[in-house]
């Protein structure tokens, strides 16, 4: 066993406490010391410069003491930063809490608002202990986006009064009613500073060129407020400015005063908004971190339940010290990641800087005009009404939920708006479940009944009326365009089918992703298809369940051909499920039985998702394999191809392959292309930037995107028969593989190359069975590049490649493993690869995929023969 594959030790307690390092293990780490990376220091400064003006502005918008914003920023940075489960998320006073807090202050006063903040923190601690953080993310995004948009509108309307030099009212309606009078009494100095703030805020990030790149290192929010402050001071304008009373007079939390029901509702609302905003922020930070591979390996994914505990603790501290409610803030978190933060130290250090500023920079902060802070917060409120969110909910047909939630928050309040949005979302979901569109038309003597939507008992009366409009004795196609059919609908369809076929008619059931299928006059195929969609099952490609009927019986096939059936019980684009086409395999007269027999196979039991193809025939598919990263399952339906689940070479209907290809392309254009068009457009514009060259066999059962969980633009794939890498400079060698390697390493700058073999490889079987001499076909000439693998396995002086946990099943599997190790040696001989390896810019990996077990193995020990260790579902670090 290699030292790279650790085994469990059963040594005593003494040995466990003091153990000598193994020969190939890294030395034990030195004692940990508290160190702050330089990247964390610079990131904390950037976040602090953003947080300082925003914290004061949000406190101003809520009507709270301005120190409360600084207290919340410090508590969020120090407490949530230390205890939270998302190391790079920055917490503090959030714009999303402005409306809730302002309403609480207006109703109950400041000290009770602080008490509500403490109680909300305790509620968050309870939710974190119950580990329900993931449940909070189940809220419809349309409701969350609508809530934030409503809060943004409320903030913008309220701050507009301060921008104009006035005072905001207690509600949106009151602010709208008072707006004409405020416009008639404009204060020019306040408006001028507000306009200057907004202009700097919008134009600063858009300065082009190298100068703009340098200028953008300074946050736009800080530049806008600092510019307005400096201008007002130099011009000597008479403006309302920040007033920070002495900390000795700062009000702390008191006992809640007010009706118990109102206090409970306030705690619930604050808990809801704080928790949802913080958890969504943590998920967003995870996405930002995932875009930086080096950072994602160091930081890891967020622990949402721990994040909820950290936010609860921060709210308790902030409320007790007289601060605003705390939540994760997207703007500061994004700036933290983009500034290069690598640990939670940046968040905590930003909290320390806020404390220092609150104690030592009071004279400077008191120079800031309130109109400048109001303009800053108003801009934040406007940005909360995101056009991207509106496009998203429109695409998912949830505009009604979004609009109702937004209007509810604006005119009724946050909690009321959210509850109203939830009610509408549930009503929309029930309507979609109950609303089914059923149409009937006739084309060229064939009656088509199209059912769009979920087929439940509520739609049975309309379905029955439509089906009984079909004349007796006719051919009917029933197309189900939905994903669910309950038992009542199934019974109704089955009863109608029995009645229709008894009167001489024929019926056919199809799904939206399938081609047309016929049934015999007895209708048995239709009934069998219905059985697959009985109570509680789904319809269509989304579940891999078939809905079409079998094709004509063998009696309809030509009498001189093989006994084959053209039934297809699958969809062309069923995700990761091979086509279970029931083409019965037989050897036609004049066929090639040697290509279909006497080969080791990895066949599972009948009916499983693994294709029952003969691995020995794999070399014949070398020029027709799927090399992209799409969701195709790799099934090869081509004339003249005896592999996979397609029909045999002889007696194949001429149009079978063409119709299969056309149906697959049509399904892609209809169902998949709209979903991936945006990503592909981005890749088309930016060009490909794959991180890995993946060299594997042309076998149709190997789907590179499936076994590596990759997508468009991730892998640069090279496929050939036997996953062979011809040695460089060999006479009559193959330049196509060498060219692909050179292009991937020198042009695309891939960071790793993987050679992947697989079980039951026909090329390896052909190598084992090859005899010297004979006609040199293209296949035999190509397989000569695998002879070194055969010689390596036959060399008794070299250890064999092996699998961790079991011995190879047979000589074919042994050669498949040895071939991966040997081709890696060939790969090292290429000049571009050798150079990149010397520079440390490239890694080489060996991989073996067992088709029948759907199990991947990675080469963990390359010395000697090589050890392949299985990769489990929990091996996230691999």
């Amino acid at each position: 066993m290699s030292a790279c594959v650790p085994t469990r030790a059963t040594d005593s307690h003494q040995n466990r406490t003091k153990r000598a390092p193994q020969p190939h293990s890294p030395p034990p780490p030195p004692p940990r010391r508290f160190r702050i990376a330089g990247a964390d220091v610079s990131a904390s400064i950037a976040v602090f410069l953003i947080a300082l003006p925003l914290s004061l502005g949000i406190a101003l918008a809520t009507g709270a003491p301005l120190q409360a914003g600084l207290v919340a920023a410090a508590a969020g940075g120090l407490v949530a930063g230390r205890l939270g489960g998302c190391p790079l998320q920055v917490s503090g006073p959030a714009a999303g809490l402005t409306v809730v807090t302002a309403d609480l202050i207006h109703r109950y006063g400041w000290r009770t608002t602080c008490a509500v903040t403490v109680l909300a923190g305790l509620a968050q601690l309870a939710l974190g202990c119950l580990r329900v953080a993931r449940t909070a993310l189940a809220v419809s995004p349309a409701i969350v986006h609508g809530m934030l948009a409503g809060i943004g509108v409320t903030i913008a309307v309220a701050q507009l009064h301060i921008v104009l030099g006035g005072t905001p009212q207690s509600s949106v309606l009151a602010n709208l009613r008072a707006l004409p009078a405020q416009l008639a009494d404009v204060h020019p100095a306040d408006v001028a500073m507000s306009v200057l703030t907004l202009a700097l805020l919008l134009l600063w990030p858009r300065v082009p060129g190298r100068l703009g790149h340098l200028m953008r290192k300074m946050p736009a929010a800080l530049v806008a407020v600092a510019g307005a402050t400096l201008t007002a001071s130099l011009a000597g304008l008479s403006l309302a400015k920040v007033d920070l009373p002495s900390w000795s007079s700062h009000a702390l939390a008191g006992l809640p005063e007010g009706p118990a029901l109102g206090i409970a509702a306030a705690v619930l609302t604050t808990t809801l908004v704080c928790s949802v905003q913080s958890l969504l922020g943590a998920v967003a930070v995870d996405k930002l971190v995932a875009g930086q591979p080096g950072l994602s390996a160091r930081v890891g994914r967020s622990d949402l339940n721990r994040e909820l505990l950290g936010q609860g603790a921060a709210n308790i501290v902030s409320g007790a010290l007289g601060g605003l409610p705390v939540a994760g803030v997207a703007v500061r978190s994004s700036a933290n990641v983009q500034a290069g933060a690598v640990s939670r130290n940046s968040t905590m250090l930003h909290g320390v800087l806020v404390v220092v500023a609150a104690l030592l920079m009071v004279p400077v902060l008191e120079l800031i005009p309130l109109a400048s802070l109001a303009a800053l917060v108003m801009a934040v409120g406007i940005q909360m009404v995101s056009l991207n969110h509106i496009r998203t909910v429109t695409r998912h047909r949830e505009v009604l939920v979004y609009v109702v939630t937004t209007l509810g928050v604006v005119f009724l309040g946050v909690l009321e708006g959210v509850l109203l949005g939830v009610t509408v979302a549930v009503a929309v979901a029930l309507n979609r479940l109950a609303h089914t569109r059923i149409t009937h038309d006739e084309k060229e003597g064939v009656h088509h009944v199209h059912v769009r939507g979920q087929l439940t008992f509520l739609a049975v009366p309309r379905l029955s009326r439509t089906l009984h409009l079909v004349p007796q004795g006719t051919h009917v196609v029933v197309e189900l365009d939905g994903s669910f059919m309950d038992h009542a609908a199934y019974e109704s369809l089955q009863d109608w089918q029995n009645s229709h076929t008894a009167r001489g008619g024929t019926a056919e059931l199809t799904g939206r992703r399938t081609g047309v299928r016929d049934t015999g006059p007895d209708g048995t195929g239709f009934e069998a298809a219905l059985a697959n969609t009985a109570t509680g099952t789904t319809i269509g490609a989304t579940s891999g369940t078939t809905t079409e009927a079998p094709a004509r019986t063998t009696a309809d096939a030509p009498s001189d051909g093989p006994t084959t059936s053209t039934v297809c019980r699958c969809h062309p684009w069923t995700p990761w499920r091979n086509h279970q086409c029931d083409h019965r395999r037989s050897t036609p007269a004049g066929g090639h039985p040697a290509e279909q027999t006497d080969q080791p196979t990895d066949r599972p039991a009948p009916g499983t998702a693994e294709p029952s193809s003969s691995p020995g025939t794999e070399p014949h598919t070398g020029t027709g394999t799927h090399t992209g990263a799409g969701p195709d399952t790799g099934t090869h339906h081509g004339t003249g191809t005896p592999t996979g689940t397609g029909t045999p070479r002889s007696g194949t209907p001429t149009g079978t392959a063409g119709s299969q290809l056309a149906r697959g392309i049509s399904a892609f254009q209809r169902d998949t292309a709209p979903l991936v068009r945006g990503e592909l457009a981005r890749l088309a514009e930016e060009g490909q930037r794959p991180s890995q060259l993946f060299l594997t066999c042309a076998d149709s059962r190997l789907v590179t995107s499936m076994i590596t969980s990759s997508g468009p633009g991730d892998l640069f794939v090279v496929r050939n028969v036997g996953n062979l890498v011809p040695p460089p400079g060999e006479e009559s060698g193959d330049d196509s593989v060498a060219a692909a390697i050179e292009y991937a390493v020198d042009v695309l700058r891939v960071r790793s190359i993987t050679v992947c073999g697989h079980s039951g490889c026909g090329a390896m079987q052909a190598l084992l069975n090859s005899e010297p001499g004979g006609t040199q076909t293209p296949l035999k000439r190509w397989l000569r590049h695998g002879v070194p693998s055969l010689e390596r396995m036959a060399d008794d002086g070299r250890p064999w490649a092996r699998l961790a946990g079991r011995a190879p099943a047979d000589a074919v599997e042994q050669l498949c493993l040895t071939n991966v190790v040997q081709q890696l040696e060939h790969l090292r001989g290429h000049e571009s690869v050798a150079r990149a390896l010397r520079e440390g810019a490239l890694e080489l990996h060996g991989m073996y995929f067992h088709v029948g077990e759907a199990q991947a193995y990675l080469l963990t020990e390359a010395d000697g023969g090589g050890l392949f260790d299985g990769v489990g579902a929990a091996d996230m670090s691999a």
Side-chain angles (χ1 to χ4, degrees), residues 193 224-234 364 367-369 372:
M193 292 303 98
V225 174
T229 302
L230 184 61
T231 302
S233 299
L234 294 178
V364 176
L367 297 175
I368 300 175
S372 178

Side-chain angles (χ1 to χ4, degrees), residues 194-205 224:
S194 299
V195 171
L196 177 61
T197 302
L198 292 175
L200 289 173
L201 195 63
L202 295 176
L203 298 179
W204 187 262

Side-chain angles (χ1 to χ4, degrees), residues 677-688:
R677 185 170 287 118
E679 176 66 12
L680 292 180
R682 182 186 66 81
L683 290 172
E685 179 180 354
E686 298 178 358
Q688 62 168 330

Side-chain angles (χ1 to χ4, degrees), residues 316-343:
I316 292 175
V317 172
S318 179
L321 297 179
L324 293 171
V326 171
V329 186
V331 175
R332 291 168 230 179
S333 302
S334 175
N336 193 34
V337 176
Q338 294 173 358
V342 295
S343 72

